[in-house]
Each structure stands twice: as C-alpha cells, then as structure tokens.
Amino acid sequence: MTNHDNNNRIHKSEKITTYRVWDKPSRLFHWVNVLLVLSLVFVGLIMLFRKDLGIDALEAKIKLKELHVIIGYLFAANLLVRIIWGFMGNRYAKFSQNIPNIRAIKQYRAALKDGQNPQYVGHNPLGKLAVATIMLTLTLIMATGLFRAGTDIYYPPFGSAVTQYIAADGVDATLIKPYDETGIDKSKLAEIKPAKSFAGKVHLYSVYFLLFLIGLHVAAVIQAERRHQPGIISAMFSGKKSIKGPIEDKD
Ligand code: HEM
C-alpha cells in the first residue's frame, strides 16, 4: 500500500500515535523461527517422500535425519531463548500478558461485527489465542523431535542414555550405530519401540497441525492488515506500530 492510499484512510480528526511494540529479541525469534520451520518442513518432506524421490540408500536416509536434527537444534535453541524471553521481555513479549481470554475474544468479535474497529498495540484477543496455540505446538514438536533424535539416531540430548540402555551386556555403548543391530540387546530395543513410534506420530501430526496454524495465522494477519489494523505486518520488522485513535490495551 502506498503512503497516498494510507493517507486517504486516515480520518483527519484522529491523532496517529506510534508505539514501540515488538522488542528486538521477539522480532529476531519470529523471523529466525520462520526460516528454520520452513527448512525443517522442507527436509522433513524429503524424509517423508524419500522413496518417491528415489533416495533409497540407508546412509542417505540417516544423513537426512542428521541434517534435520541439526537444523532442529537451532530451532530448539531459538524457541528456548524465546520461552525465557517470555518471562523477561517487554510487556508485549511476556507470556503473562498474552494469555488467551474467551470473554475478550467474544467481545472483540462482537465489536468487529458491530462495525467498530478496536485497535491494539500488542496482539488482539484472537491473536493471543493464535500465538499461544502456535507456541504450544512448537514446544510439542521440539520435545518429540528431541526424543525422536535420541531414540532414532542416538543424537543428544537423550542419545547416549538410549544407547547405554539398549547395549547388550559387555558392549561399549558408544560403538552402537543407528539402524544397525550390532551390539544391541533386541528385547530392550523392542521395549523402547512403542515410545519411539508414539513420539514419531505425535511429532508428525503436530507438524500437520502447525502447518494448518501457519496457514490460518498468515491469512488472519493479511486480513487484519487490510481490514482492521493497517501496519501490523511492517511492525514485525520495525518493532513499531502507528495507530489512529484510542487503543484497547493501554495497561
Ligand atoms: C517446526 C519444526 C519441525 C518440523 C516442521 C519437523 C518436521 C518433520 C517431518 C515432516 C518429519 C518426517 C516425519 C516422518 O518421517 O515420520 C520429521 C521427522 C523427524 N524430526 Fe522433525 N520437525 C521439526 C522439528 C524437529 C526438531 C526440533 C527435532 C530434533 C532436534 C526433530 C527431529 C526429527 C527426527 C529425529 C525425525 C525422524 C523421525 C522418523 O524418522 O520417524 N524435528 N520432522
């Protein structure tokens, strides 16, 4: 949208105020997370459709998993920093200020239906629900991914505990290799299998749910930008929002 279009939409009697909203760590987390999630989806899809793509060798299968897990560590580190920041950051970054509230959502939707246009510096009530759901889903994907990394290819943080557990008597656990049963106590491997496959299923279905949430989030942000809250997209780059008239989330 050009400045000219923007100016046309500004009612002359209402003052525009610019607020600092998203602090640097929040913005950095957001865009690094977008990049890493896209990369993980990309490598994950190759893993899922490996055979259709003609990638049959066991070595290639393991290499793909290793690549996915290494990107996964960056994703996990970024998410953990954001979780810590959720307790330390500015008021708009804090989890305590972003807890979804059903009553507020109902009031917000009723206000929109009524033709009003309530403005928020931070997330609007629906945005709070979306962000909380996305954060919880990301955390579940991280936890199941790390568990899978340990049980599937014996990568940290749980890999060495897993190899020590499944190593046959007298076998050096550090010599155990993924997808190779040499030195493994098969009954112990069978014991961890249900938990391993459960974590794999939760990981995959949470990823599908995340993709659905991403679609919803992007569509909702574009709609809000065009209809009710111009400037919310650029705010995730600049950290600032310019809002015409009064705001709902003053304190
Ligand atoms: C949003 C982030 C993530 C996305 C979108 C994602 C996506 C995927 C997908 C599509 C698969 C294929 C599922 C399958 O083959 O059954 C997969 C598998 C896997 N992911 Fe992730 N993943 C993410 C984060 C992580 C993290 C943080 C880790 C660990 C550091 C991780 C570790 C694994 C492992 C070990 C597998 C292999 C499981 C298997 O072969 O069954 N993932 N992931």
Side-chain angles (χ1 to χ4, degrees), residues 171-207:
V171 169
D172 178 358
T174 60
L175 299 177
I176 289 179
K177 300 260 172 299
Y179 292 85
D180 179 349
E181 294 197 344
T182 318
I184 287 180
D185 179 332
K186 285 196 183 127
S187 65
K188 286 196 169 159
L189 187 65
E191 252 175 55
I192 66 162
K193 211 173 165 192
K196 176 181 165 181
S197 82
F198 179 68
K201 282 202 181 95
V202 176
H203 190 72
L204 188 59
Y205 286 109
S206 312
V207 168

Side-chain angles (χ1 to χ4, degrees), residues 6 21-22 27 30-31 108 118-124 127 217-243:
N6 244 335
V21 52
W22 311 125
R27 282 179 276 150
H30 182 270
W31 295 116
Y108 177 63
Q119 296 294 308
Y120 295 82
V121 179
H123 296 298
N124 68 41
H217 171 64
V218 171
V221 164
I222 291 174
Q223 200 200 29
E225 168 85 33
R226 295 176 54 182
R227 294 210 189 148
H228 325 290
Q229 296 179 272
I232 63 167
I233 297 175
S234 60
M236 201 35 96
F237 292 97
S238 68
K240 292 179 202 149
K241 261 186 203 172
S242 296
I243 297 177

Side-chain angles (χ1 to χ4, degrees), residues 28-29 31-37 39-40 66-82 142 146 156:
L28 200 65
F29 160 77
W31 295 116
V32 170
N33 189 55
V34 169
L35 210 76
L36 292 173
V37 168
S39 316
L40 286 162
E66 287 173 348
L67 174 65
H68 183 77
V69 168
I70 287 163
I71 305 171
Y73 288 148
L74 298 176
F75 162 85
N78 190 45
L79 183 58
L80 288 174
V81 170
R82 180 63 183 89
M142 172 182 72
L146 289 172

Side-chain angles (χ1 to χ4, degrees), residues 79 130-142:
L79 183 58
V131 169
T133 314
I134 291 174
M135 288 300 282
L136 287 174
T137 308
L138 291 174
T139 306
L140 185 62
I141 293 173
M142 172 182 72

